[in-house]
Amino acid sequence: MKVLKERILKDGKCYPGGILKVDKFINHQMDPNLMKDIAVEFIRRFASSKVNKIITIEASGIAPAIMMGFLMNLPVVFAKKKKPSTLDNMLTTKVTSFTKQRDYDVIISKDYLTPDDHVIFVDDFLANGNAAKGIIDLCRQAGATIEGMGFIIEKAFQDGGQYLRDNGIKVESLAIIESLDNCEIKLKEA
Ligand code: 5GP
């Protein structure tokens, strides 16, 4: 996605440890026009999938997910990272955070993820695929079907993408980073 790639090169910042900071336009300050373009592109790429719900994990996936849900007229569910005291009847799994280097519980209500659901999972980044694996586990517990997974940015030098594709998941990444070595952003050509 050309406009996204140009923006990453213009406003993305590289940090040691293979971390790309995009908080000027994706996950702190957000550019709603770019987010709309991202959602339109996801919708185009998943056009052949029969979907009734968009699913994500708080917090950074919520913006692209809600844009998609709005444009597709579908409900959006975000998995929560903290158990609300008012939530019972829930499914839970453990996810290792790549950026924070710790495990956390991810929770979703059984009311909002059911065997009737055919979902697309969207998130800002795909790195080692731990968040995606957590969603796979929650969908397995719920009996829901994953129709595909969309990531704004995939870091191809980490193994999440390979894992998901090897496991038969349709993965769509709008920008693929080949390397952040020497703090230089190298994007995969389209
Ligand atoms: P994964 O679960 O695939 O290992 O990592 C994905 C999650 O970690 C994303 O939800 C994202 O929030 C965070 N993440 C992974 N890599 C990066 C990165 O390079 N930059 C930022 N800002 N977040 C990242």
Side-chain angles (χ1 to χ4, degrees), residues 2-184:
K2 191 164 175 279
V3 65
L4 172 65
K5 290 180 179 176
E6 287 169 359
R7 193 64 179 271
I8 290 170
L9 293 175
K10 180 169 159 268
D11 286 333
K13 290 208 168 58
C14 213
Y15 277 68
I19 294 187
L20 178 69
K21 210 168 169 185
V22 287
D23 66 354
K24 196 171 178 183
F25 57 106
I26 288 181
N27 55 21
H28 190 18
Q29 176 169 264
M30 292 183 278
D31 178 337
N33 282 310
L34 178 67
M35 214 48 97
K36 189 205 78 195
D37 292 345
I38 284 168
V40 167
E41 181 62 14
F42 277 140
I43 291 165
R44 190 182 71 77
R45 293 189 187 202
F46 288 111
S48 62
S49 310
K50 267 221 154 308
V51 177
N52 70 329
K53 194 168 278 183
I54 310 298
I55 184 167
T56 188
I57 294 194
E58 66 177 342
S60 306
I62 294 177
I66 197 82
M67 280 286 183
M68 273 183 88
F70 174 72
L71 294 170
M72 297 172 87
N73 199 21
L74 292 177
V76 177
V77 183
F78 67 90
K80 292 177 178 257
K81 289 183 178 167
K82 264 197 201 125
K83 179 184 177 294
S85 57
T86 50
L87 190 69
D88 43 35
N89 198 26
M90 60 192 183
L91 305 164
T92 172
T93 194
K94 269 211 183 328
V95 167
T96 304
S97 164
F98 171 73
T99 39
K100 299 197 177 78
Q101 299 285 336
R102 63 174 179 85
D103 286 353
Y104 56 91
D105 289 320
V106 171
I107 291 131
I108 215 160
S109 166
K110 283 183 189 164
D111 293 340
Y112 306 129
L113 192 61
T114 75
D116 293 333
D117 286 326
H118 288 250
V119 304
I120 289 176
F121 169 65
V122 293
D123 204 359
D124 58 345
F125 275 93
L126 173 60
N128 293 320
N130 291 316
K133 287 177 194 169
I135 291 295
I136 292 170
D137 187 40
L138 290 174
C139 287
R140 186 192 53 75
Q141 292 180 48
T145 306
I146 298 173
E147 295 294 337
M149 295 195 164
F151 302 92
I152 300 177
I153 300 170
E154 173 178 344
K155 295 191 292 179
F157 55 89
Q158 292 177 263
D159 54 17
Q162 168 114 32
Y163 174 87
L164 296 177
R165 291 179 181 101
D166 285 352
N167 281 276
I169 294 187
K170 178 175 163 61
V171 177
E172 291 289 347
S173 302
L174 305 188
I176 299 182
I177 311 279
E178 277 189 333
S179 140
L180 294 173
D181 292 349
N182 307 314
C183 272
E184 189 194 333

